[in-house]
Amino acid sequence: GGGTGAQVTPTGGADARLAAMVPDAIKSDGKIIIGTDASYAPNEFLGTDGKTVTGWDKELFDLVAAKLGLKTEWVSSKFDDIIPGVQSGKYEAGVSSFTINDERKQVVSMVSYFTAGTQWATKSGNPAGIQPDNACGKKVAVQTGTVQVEDIEARSKACTDAGKPAIQFNQYQGQDQATAAVVSGKEDATLADSPIAAYAVKQTNGQLQLLGDIYEAAPYGYVVKKEETQFAQAISEATKAVMQDGTYKQVLEKWGVQAGGLTTSAVNPDA
């Protein structure tokens, strides 16, 4: 047990073979205690009540846990506290849009379930005639503190090095503000994590469109304790089962993030 404002979801569609793979210490209380930073729509974010965790990342892992015959208990945490919390045993899993990389794989086991990169969005019909590789002199919105800030700085420098005008980029506190600036015409385009950009397009009801391909893609991974290799394998097998029965696709399509769907899951894949 543990955690305040935690939710418990019902189980359904348990698979006896997969449930048998779950270590006794985890299945003893019938649930997985999960650390998440619910500030990243549409992946994981707080619902209108300000405390219920929602989003496709949450819905998908609920399905994975159900295959293992387990409920889920979601505990809101600071992002930087989740991996230490898994290591200490405070959480039995971390589910929070963690990109799989070598640094993280040294300290925890990670199970792949989605792929995300960067994607651009602009007004429908692209009236500004902007392209990610040709944005010199255009006005571009980015969320502050994201990898996209460095991305746009590098693209702007390439423009000026080639004797072209710099990209006029503005930083916004929230991606919702950056998106609104493109809808209003104040900015020509925005760039964000691919599921975040796709969700922004979905939320604007046809006023925006995605632009160009997803690039610099890397898998997201569920996080468990490094030595819990059997539990990691059980989660991976349950993820594959959700992919195979069609519910994985349903969740991603519901949230408009199917571009990041994978066809299989692995424990500690090469990043």
Side-chain angles (χ1 to χ4, degrees), residues 40 43-44 56-57 96-100 110-117 193-196 218-222 262 266 269:
Y40 209 47
N43 302 10
E44 48 270 320
W56 69 261
D57 208 8
S96 201
S97 308
F98 281 102
T99 299
I100 297 178
M110 302 191 79
V111 179
S112 60
Y113 64 93
F114 189 80
T115 185
D193 263 17
S194 50
I196 311 301
Y220 281 169
Y222 299 132
L262 295 178

Side-chain angles (χ1 to χ4, degrees), residues 127-140:
I130 190 169
Q131 293 301 330
D133 295 329
N134 184 17
C136 306
K138 303 290 189 188
K139 297 186 295 248
V140 177

Side-chain angles (χ1 to χ4, degrees), residues 4-7 36-55 58 74-77 199 255:
T4 52
Q7 302 157 258
T36 193
D37 176 2
S39 64
Y40 209 47
N43 302 10
E44 48 270 320
F45 59 106
L46 294 177
T48 47
D49 65 0
K51 56 178 193 268
T52 306
V53 179
T54 185
K58 186 254 181 210
W74 294 83
V75 184
S76 288
S77 172
Y199 185 67
W255 291 93

Side-chain angles (χ1 to χ4, degrees), residues 18-32 68 70 92 228 230-231 234:
L18 301 180
M21 293 173 70
V22 179
D24 291 341
I26 289 158
K27 75 166 91 162
S28 62
D29 64 353
K31 65 188 175 193
I32 305 174
L68 300 173
L70 296 167
E92 291 164 326
E228 290 278 13
Q230 190 186 331
F231 186 37

Side-chain angles (χ1 to χ4, degrees), residues 75-214:
V75 184
S76 288
S77 172
K78 288 197 186 109
F79 188 74
D80 291 342
D81 294 345
I82 299 171
I83 284 178
V86 169
Q87 290 175 297
S88 72
K90 179 181 180 183
Y91 307 127
E92 291 164 326
V95 181
S96 201
S97 308
F98 281 102
T99 299
I100 297 178
N101 60 34
D102 291 334
E103 187 187 2
R104 288 175 177 150
K105 285 194 293 183
Q106 282 166 17
V107 295
V108 288
S109 289
M110 302 191 79
V111 179
S112 60
Y113 64 93
F114 189 80
T115 185
T118 290
Q119 187 153 38
W120 289 52
T122 189
K123 266 198 124 122
S124 289
N126 194 5
I130 190 169
Q131 293 301 330
D133 295 329
N134 184 17
C136 306
K138 303 290 189 188
K139 297 186 295 248
V140 177
V142 285
Q143 183 180 358
T144 192
T146 61
V147 294
Q148 284 81 20
V149 175
E150 290 165 34
D151 184 336
I152 203 72
E153 285 170 348
R155 287 173 187 272
S156 186
K157 186 177 185 298
C159 291
T160 54
D161 286 353
K164 295 176 180 172
I167 297 171
Q168 303 168 50
F169 62 91
N170 287 309
Q171 297 187 43
Y172 293 80
Q173 253 340 103
Q175 182 56 43
D176 52 344
Q177 295 163 301
T179 302
V182 180
V183 171
S184 75
K186 180 175 178 245
E187 307 281 359
D188 296 322
T190 185
L191 59 158
D193 263 17
S194 50
I196 311 301
Y199 185 67
V201 167
K202 191 176 162 73
Q203 292 301 95
T204 59
N205 297 319
Q207 295 180 83
L208 297 183
Q209 68 176 58
L210 294 172
L211 190 64
D213 294 324
I214 295 170

Side-chain angles (χ1 to χ4, degrees), residues 222-241:
Y222 299 132
V223 172
V224 297
K225 204 178 273 193
K226 190 171 174 63
E227 55 272 25
E228 290 278 13
T229 50
Q230 190 186 331
F231 186 37
Q233 199 59 52
I235 291 172
S236 183
E237 291 296 322
T239 303
K240 288 181 200 169

